[in-house]
Amino acid sequence: MRFDLDRLPTDPVLLQKMLREMAEAMKVERTELKAAKHTVKTQSLTIEKLEHRLARLLRVQFGRSSEKMDIAQLRLMFDEVEAPEPANDDVAAASKLKSARKAGARMPIPAHVPRLTTEHRPEPCGCGGMETVICEDVTEVLDYVPARFRVLRHVRPRIAYRACETIRQTPAIDLPLPKVMASSALLAHLVVSRFVDHQPWHRQSVILRRQGVDIDRDVMGRWSRKLAWLMAPLAERLLAYVLQAPKIHGDETPVTLLMGENGSHTAYFWVYLRDGRSSGDMSPPAVAFRFTTGRGGEHPAAHLAGYQGYLQADGYAGYNALYRDPKTKAPRNVTEVGCWAHARRKFTDILEKNPSPVAAEAVVRIGELFAIERDIKGAPPDARRRVRKQLAAPQLAALRPWLEAQMRGLSSDSALAKACRYPLNRWAAMIRYCDDGLLEISNNLVENALRGIALGRRNWMFVGSTKGGDASALFYSLVETCRLNGVEPEAWFTDVIARIGNHPINRIDELLQWHWQAAREVQNLEYAA
């Protein structure tokens, strides 16, 4: 509403009317402005969340596999943080590795590879003198013998004895899988190619067809499910062994499950890891996978039924029923341990999108906690607890009020507020690792065990059925346990597949990877002697 100040009316009643109309117009404009500001704020938060999610997805797809940041660079970027002392173990380790082994350098051929020697002698001189070898030059060339198929023919002649009028014949051989004309070596090769080298069944079928052997991918799938049934006692024993540990790590990862005419569905692989080597425990590490069609809390509750000890996992609410009774909130026999890697990752995701001083400071503070852990890796639990109480506990005591201070003034729906809220909402679990040297600062160990599924998922894309998911979980348990114990998986599968059908069930532990490896080393020593 506009007024000509030089031609205002002199009538007081008319002036009052004009003022009331002006006040009403200003009130409407204020309401509209307030609504517009609220819309802008809401849209800005939505844009920020979408940009944050996009940056995180781009980092997962194309970025580094680790969220570790160079603390020194972060301190230089933001003047609010003091410069650190040059104690970045990651940079030092990388420089040592570069000096010891340059990129692209030719490495010597390993000594265990068999040698086939061919001697190249020069033409005779013709002088008639005696030949004397004064030295020799050796050139070693690494060769490759392509894999080849062969058929093992088991002939059982029927022998007749005229004197006693009897016919004798040896019993039929025991095949690894009934009515499956495949040796343990072939079955082991298919399983290792699928779950270690991430070759889907159809790709393996194409590779074998080039060699003149036609095995359909559906046939391979049926073989693997039969083999999973045969090796199921080993998987059950692995889970029982994992649950004997005072501390285990847990996590889950999604996978696409085909549902026939109903399309697809998101299913999950759950993983439970036992590995105490960082705290000086030399018990063999092991990992157990399980497959479920959902992500509800009833699944980890069923997997870990009867377990008593520490469970280190992320902040997923599905684990809460393990820690406390949902109705009475009374604590149960499983104690929650938080993961600082998950907390740090939320801040690094923010830094991937824009340079936030608060996020950078948080990454620096959490990185200093990890630096303490690098110095005590492999130390006994008492020593680890003592160092943590001396060095990490004061930093944690200062970190909590700092996070609470950063929360003030932030929108509760912003990515930075959520990142600060993650450790604060579970603070007791986040600092619990300082009270026991057996515990770890993060859940990275179990995330490493999930890398096989993460890599394979990009190749085989989906799980065809729930039975296929159960079989995949079993084989991932076996191959990852082989990796943790330094066991060559194809040799282990070849031997175990050939033996497990007739192996006594009460001696199933003899086939576990670490026992099998120890027995094989003894056999090699006896053979060498």
Side-chain angles (χ1 to χ4, degrees), residues 31-49 411 413:
T31 304
E32 292 176 350
L33 180 60
K34 186 175 180 181
K37 286 182 176 180
H38 178 73
T39 302
V40 170
K41 184 178 180 181
T42 303
Q43 291 178 346
S44 299
L45 287 173
T46 302
I47 292 172
E48 181 183 354
K49 287 194 293 185
S411 170
D413 206 28

Side-chain angles (χ1 to χ4, degrees), residues 216-522:
D216 190 77
R217 61 181 181 181
D218 291 336
V219 174
M220 294 182 185
R222 287 198 299 271
W223 288 359
S224 69
R225 290 191 291 273
K226 290 181 178 180
L227 192 58
W229 175 85
L230 182 65
M231 307 187 78
L234 277 173
E236 295 300 324
R237 185 66 190 94
L238 275 180
L239 180 60
Y241 173 76
V242 169
L243 298 185
Q244 291 173 1
K247 176 261 302 181
I248 62 175
H249 299 260
D251 205 353
E252 77 286 339
T253 188
V255 64
T256 301
L257 171 65
L258 297 186
M259 302 291 288
E261 296 180 354
N262 297 326
S264 62
H265 174 73
T266 300
Y268 289 86
F269 282 109
W270 302 79
V271 56
Y272 306 100
L273 171 72
R274 171 180 180 171
D275 190 352
R277 291 174 293 180
S278 296
S279 59
D281 182 7
M282 290 298 103
S283 300
V287 62
F289 287 81
R290 288 295 183 269
F291 175 81
T292 63
T293 57
R295 202 190 178 197
E298 68 273 10
H299 300 301
H303 301 156
L304 304 182
Y307 174 69
Q308 298 183 9
Y310 294 105
L311 173 62
Q312 190 149 20
D314 57 21
Y316 172 51
Y319 296 109
N320 290 344
L322 294 168
Y323 309 136
R324 59 193 68 88
D325 188 277
K327 296 181 179 179
T328 64
K329 303 300 180 182
R332 289 183 166 172
N333 293 326
V334 179
T335 304
E336 179 185 8
V337 183
C339 173
W340 278 105
H342 279 82
R344 179 174 63 179
R345 191 171 301 144
K346 296 183 181 299
F347 291 106
T348 56
D349 288 342
I350 295 173
L351 287 176
E352 292 288 337
K353 187 174 71 72
N354 52 40
S356 166
V358 175
E361 170 71 1
V363 172
V364 169
R365 288 173 177 259
I366 298 173
E368 290 170 349
L369 296 174
F370 277 87
I372 297 172
E373 295 301 307
R374 286 192 289 271
D375 294 334
I376 59 176
K377 184 177 181 180
D382 291 341
R384 284 158 59 95
R385 180 179 180 276
R386 184 168 57 253
V387 171
R388 288 168 176 173
K389 287 293 185 182
Q390 180 181 358
L391 300 179
Q395 295 189 24
L396 289 168
L399 179 59
R400 182 175 186 177
W402 182 83
L403 289 172
E404 292 172 343
Q406 306 311 310
M407 289 282 294
R408 304 188 190 101
L410 291 175
S411 170
S412 61
D413 206 28
S414 67
L416 188 56
K418 291 179 179 178
C420 294
R421 200 158 51 237
Y422 178 86
L424 290 175
N425 286 348
R426 50 188 60 83
W427 190 256
M430 298 299 291
I431 65 173
R432 186 162 284 130
Y433 80 99
C434 288
D435 298 329
D436 194 329
L438 289 174
L439 307 180
E440 302 296 332
I441 189 175
S442 73
N443 211 27
N444 285 342
L445 290 175
V446 78
E447 293 188 0
N448 292 338
L450 282 172
R451 286 183 178 178
I453 290 181
L455 291 173
R457 193 167 44 201
R458 299 182 181 183
N459 291 274
W460 37 260
M461 305 297 291
F462 56 82
V463 174
S465 65
T466 54
K467 290 184 178 179
D470 292 334
S472 297
L474 180 141
F475 287 122
Y476 276 120
S477 302
L478 300 178
V479 300
E480 287 297 323
T481 302
C482 283
R483 181 186 64 83
L484 290 171
N485 289 275
V487 175
E488 205 288 305
E490 192 157 345
W492 181 82
F493 271 101
T494 301
D495 183 60
V496 171
I497 291 172
R499 295 167 51 191
I500 192 170
N502 296 321
H503 195 81
I505 191 65
N506 58 353
R507 291 166 48 196
I508 196 69
D509 284 7
E510 296 176 1
L511 301 182
L512 293 176
Q513 286 82 343
W514 52 93
H515 292 310
W516 179 89
Q517 181 82 332
R520 192 177 188 187
E521 291 174 354
V522 171

Side-chain angles (χ1 to χ4, degrees), residues 18 27 55 76 85 144 197 200 332 344 431 454 475 489 526:
M18 292 174 62
K27 184 177 180 181
L76 290 175
E85 296 180 1
Y144 172 71
D197 302 327
R332 289 183 166 172
R344 179 174 63 179
I431 65 173
F475 287 122
E526 292 176 350

